[in-house]
Amino acid sequence: MSIWLALVVILLAFYVMTEIVDRHFIKSLDNIAEWMKLPPSVAGATLLALGTSAPEISTALFALFLEGANPATGVGTIVGSAIFQILVVIGFAAVVKTSYLNWRPVMRDSIFYAFSVGLLILFVADNKFTLIEGIAFVGSYFLYLFVLFLWTKYVNEEATVPKNGFETPAGSARTEFEGAAHHLDTPRPIEAIEKDMEDETRRNPFKILQKTLGYPVEFLMKLIPDPEEKPRWTIPVFLLSLVIIAGASYFLVIAAEDLAKAMNIPTAIIALTILAGGSSIPEMISSAIVAKQGRGDMAIANAIGSNIFDILMSLGLPVLIYILIKGQPLTDLGGANITSSIILLFTTLIVVVLLLFVQKFKATRPFGLFLIFLYLIYVVAAYMGWIGG
């Protein structure tokens, strides 16, 4: 596969996964959550987090089980996506509009995120994952869910004060997206966000261009029933969405491997940059939209909290499944490239939290531009061989 063909396949795979997840998969999960009568916070931290991270999980699974694929593709996509979200997604949201953050959920998720990255650094040190480490990843996520349960029960975040430091200004975040948990006033968390963003997205030039170039995909998506309008189709659409996501991930992994060979660079570098950035583009666009609406704290808290799910579940669950099926540890994780990027990920988290603390949890335009600049340096360093060299 040539470089250009590999890039086209990668872009098309991302487009298909974005469309099926946004338009059908998450809506079907929303219906399932409602049928199960799950509280919004629990639904957001479980089913809806699974929906938004389905591409990463599927990519990791194919990278582990597909013959000839490199495990570094799956690991690199997760780690690179985390770096992209902590720098670019947060930075882009801050550039669009200054945000005054509620410091409590930011610090809560930052502490648990630091714990998750710490586990990752510890476990990749020997360039392999064991059964105990896979269990530790998944078990840690359930610990996070327990923390969220206690948090929603005992911590009151409704009370706000003016813009004088460590509180969110009244009215800036009537609807909060606390990390992986949608803390909303509606039993259908994702629906509230989608309806608020619908008009903005319709006017988005990127979306218009995307629909024009992706007309065949658009046509096929319209053939699939909308679970929101036809709830009886929820389970079939849910299963079909899984099949489509898996198919797109299959071609994504193959194209990434071929692109790395054609460019004569490590697969881990492709995963850390192109695959990671591509899988996070939808989050960047949606974060910019909600930030423009005055809810930048929702975007920033989500960028931190969703990474907890990505590390512990999008990576941990495929690793655990692989080890249980194969009966042996997972090796060849990407070596120094992955290890160096994970250490950089931990460093960027500390930098972001310290900068927010110094600014009294006010995310400004210069703050956002600085984070994006740091990511550009990271990409250049990755392709120049300065990372892990």
Side-chain angles (χ1 to χ4, degrees), residues 102-120:
N102 187 331
W103 68 274
R104 292 186 179 92
V106 172
M107 290 305 300
R108 177 202 67 202
D109 288 338
S110 295
I111 291 172
F112 212 94
Y113 184 32
F115 169 74
S116 303
V117 178
L119 283 182
L120 194 55

Side-chain angles (χ1 to χ4, degrees), residues 26-40 42-44 46-48 187-189 234:
I26 288 182
K27 288 182 179 179
S28 66
L29 289 174
D30 215 349
N31 285 345
I32 293 172
E34 187 174 9
W35 293 345
M36 296 174 65
K37 301 186 185 303
L38 295 177
V42 177
T46 53
L47 291 179
L48 297 182
R188 300 178 61 83
T234 294

Side-chain angles (χ1 to χ4, degrees), residues 8-193:
V8 169
V9 171
I10 289 173
L11 291 174
L12 184 59
F14 279 139
Y15 180 53
V16 170
M17 286 193 290
T18 299
E19 289 296 296
I20 194 65
V21 167
D22 288 349
R23 296 171 59 168
H24 299 289
F25 191 51
I26 288 182
K27 288 182 179 179
S28 66
L29 289 174
D30 215 349
N31 285 345
I32 293 172
E34 187 174 9
W35 293 345
M36 296 174 65
K37 301 186 185 303
L38 295 177
S41 60
V42 177
T46 53
L47 291 179
L48 297 182
L50 169 65
T52 56
S53 297
E56 286 91 340
I57 294 177
S58 186
T59 300
L61 282 170
F62 274 107
L64 297 183
F65 287 99
L66 190 62
E67 186 176 353
N70 192 329
T73 303
V75 179
T77 300
I78 301 298
V79 175
S81 177
I83 294 175
F84 186 93
Q85 291 206 45
I86 203 74
L87 293 178
V88 179
V89 173
I90 291 180
F92 202 57
V95 168
V96 169
K97 190 170 184 178
T98 296
S99 301
Y100 298 83
L101 312 181
N102 187 331
W103 68 274
R104 292 186 179 92
V106 172
M107 290 305 300
R108 177 202 67 202
D109 288 338
S110 295
I111 291 172
F112 212 94
Y113 184 32
F115 169 74
S116 303
V117 178
L119 283 182
L120 194 55
I121 292 174
L122 179 65
F123 293 165
V124 301
D126 56 359
N127 200 33
K128 69 178 181 180
F129 287 133
T130 65
L131 177 61
I132 297 299
E133 292 168 350
I135 294 174
F137 276 134
V138 176
S140 295
Y141 186 71
F142 284 99
L143 174 62
Y144 175 60
L145 292 183
F146 180 67
V147 171
L148 286 181
F149 170 76
L150 295 179
W151 186 276
T152 56
K153 188 174 182 179
Y154 295 109
V155 178
N156 178 21
E157 294 182 5
E158 294 299 320
T160 57
V161 297
K163 306 174 185 178
N164 60 353
F166 300 89
E167 298 291 348
T168 307
S172 70
R174 182 68 187 91
T175 304
E176 284 192 87
F177 192 122
E178 297 178 2
H182 299 254
H183 186 63
L184 303 171
D185 296 335
T186 170
R188 300 178 61 83
I190 211 67
E191 181 180 326
I193 297 175

